[in-house]
Amino acid sequence: MTDIIEPYGHSLIQHGKNSNRIYLMKCDAAEADSLITHMNQLAHDKNYSKIVAKIPESQDPVFKADGYKEEAAIPGFYRGQETCKLLSKYLCPKRESLTNDMEIKQILDDAIKKRAEAATQALPEEFKIRELGPSDIPTLAQIYGTVFKSYPFPIFNADYLLETMSDHVTYFGVFHNNHLVAVSSSETDLDNLNSEMTDFAVLPAYRGHKLALHLLNEMEKYMINAGFRLLYTIARASSYGMNRTFARANYQYGGTLNNNTQISGSIESMNIWYKDIGAAK
C-alpha cells in the first residue's frame, strides 16, 4: 500500500494512511492560503495525524500563522537562491513525541564524526556502476521488494519505475559479475536545479563494501555535469549506514522530521542532509 500523489492547482500533495499524513511536496506561492485550508480539511476528513510542508522560505510566515513548526531547512534549494523550509503541523500530540530521541541523537553524532574520515577508496574491480535503463526495471523492482518491507512511494511497481525513469528520475546500479546488487536514484527538479538523492538499496550479501557511498559519488558527478546546484536527501534517522554515507560525502545536516515516513514496516523519523554543488563544475 502506498500513499496517493495528486496535484492541487500548480502544487503537489502526497497523502494516505500508509504514512498517516499529508506531505506538501511542491508549493505554488500563489496557492499557499487555499492550500492550507484544503490540507486542514483533508486531514480532518481522513483523520491524519501530521501535515508536513516543503515550502519556499518566503511562505514561512503564512504556514507558521496556521500552527506549523520548522523542523528542517535546506539553503539554496530553489536555484541556489532561496532556502527551502520543511514545516510540520501535528494534529495528534502522540505523533510529535519521540520514543527514540536519544538513539537518533547518537546516530547523528556518530555520522558527523565520520565526516573526518578518509575519502572513499576506489570501487573494487569486480563491481561496476552505471545508469540503469528500462531493461533493468524488473531486477530493480525485485531489489526494492527484497530490501524494504514498505516504502512511501511505489518503487516495487515496474510501471511506476518506468514512468519516473522516463520523466525526472535517473536510476543507478552497482553490478557484480553482471548481476545488479545495489541501486539508488536521483529525483531531479530541473526548474529549481536541485535533486534528491534517494531510494538506496543494497542486497544483504553485498553490504559492507560502502556501495551506497560509491553510488552517491557517481550520482554527484552526473548531477554536477548536468548543471544542478543543490543535492539533498531525506534519510532514515535510525540508519547508521545512510547517515554515515551522507556525512562522509560532506553533506550538511539540515534537521529531523519527527515520526514522518512509513518505511520498512513502521513510521520513522527522517534526517535532512544537503550539499551545495553550484560551484563544483
Side-chain angles (χ1 to χ4, degrees):
M1 182 179 67
T2 55
D3 293 342
I4 299 164
I5 301 174
E6 59 188 9
Y8 177 87
H10 297 289
S11 303
L12 191 65
I13 295 172
Q14 180 195 40
H15 69 94
K17 281 298 181 181
N18 191 33
S19 291
N20 195 26
R21 62 157 198 204
I22 299 169
Y23 174 25
L24 176 57
M25 301 171 67
K26 180 182 178 183
C27 174
D28 186 297
E31 298 169 345
D33 288 326
S34 61
L35 266 171
I36 289 171
T37 301
H38 172 71
M39 292 191 297
N40 284 342
Q41 187 62 51
L42 182 61
H44 178 269
D45 293 344
K46 301 291 187 180
N47 198 30
Y48 295 141
S49 55
K50 181 177 183 178
I51 307 173
V52 57
K54 185 169 70 179
I55 62 169
E57 186 175 27
S58 58
Q59 298 304 307
D60 184 85
V62 180
F63 281 80
K64 284 185 176 175
D66 194 61
Y68 285 76
K69 303 175 183 177
E70 181 177 333
E71 290 195 310
I74 308 174
F77 186 87
Y78 299 100
R79 302 188 72 85
Q81 298 173 1
E82 185 174 5
T83 295
C84 168
K85 294 292 188 73
L86 289 110
L87 309 181
S88 293
K89 183 177 182 179
Y90 292 93
L91 307 170
C92 170
K94 186 177 180 181
R95 181 70 183 253
E96 186 174 10
S97 177
L98 290 177
T99 58
N100 63 337
D101 52 330
M102 293 303 295
E103 177 192 15
I104 289 173
K105 183 181 184 303
Q106 181 179 350
I107 291 170
L108 181 60
D109 289 345
D110 169 84
I112 291 172
K113 288 176 183 176
K114 299 298 180 184
R115 184 172 287 134
E117 288 190 353
T120 312
Q121 295 180 348
L123 185 69
E125 289 187 4
E126 65 266 27
F127 294 103
K128 304 296 180 186
I129 296 179
R130 67 165 170 83
E131 181 181 346
L132 301 181
S135 64
D136 299 304
I137 285 177
T139 311
L140 176 61
Q142 186 178 34
I143 288 177
Y144 283 136
T146 299
V147 173
F148 298 109
K149 294 180 182 178
S150 61
Y151 207 74
F153 296 94
I155 58 174
F156 315 124
N157 184 300
D159 290 338
Y160 171 83
L161 294 173
L162 180 59
E163 179 186 351
T164 54
M165 186 181 287
S166 303
D167 185 17
H168 66 292
V169 181
T170 306
Y171 292 88
F172 295 82
V174 178
F175 291 80
H176 181 257
N177 296 329
N178 293 320
H179 295 292
L180 188 60
V181 299
V183 296
S184 62
S185 77
S186 188
E187 184 172 344
T188 60
D189 179 352
L190 191 57
D191 289 339
N192 293 302
L193 298 179
N194 65 57
S195 186
E196 181 179 359
M197 316 301 260
T198 187
D199 302 337
F200 289 83
V202 180
L203 289 177
Y206 291 89
R207 291 170 188 170
H209 297 284
K210 297 183 180 179
L211 297 183
L213 186 55
H214 286 289
L215 279 166
L216 181 57
N217 289 338
E218 191 67 23
M219 288 196 293
E220 281 190 14
K221 294 174 188 175
Y222 186 101
M223 293 300 141
I224 288 168
N225 288 334
F228 286 83
R229 297 186 59 90
L230 191 285
L231 306 177
Y232 73 102
T233 196
I234 305 175
R236 297 166 66 188
S238 61
S239 169
Y240 274 98
M242 288 315 303
N243 287 281
R244 284 173 176 174
T245 292
F246 282 93
R248 281 173 172 147
N250 290 315
Y251 282 65
Q252 303 299 312
Y253 169 69
T256 300
L257 307 177
N258 291 349
N259 299 325
N260 192 72
T261 305
Q262 165 69 256
I263 188 167
S264 285
S266 62
I267 292 178
E268 297 192 20
S269 298
M270 308 295 285
N271 283 340
I272 303 296
W273 295 89
Y274 64 89
K275 187 174 187 177
D276 183 350
I277 59 167
K281 190 172 180 180

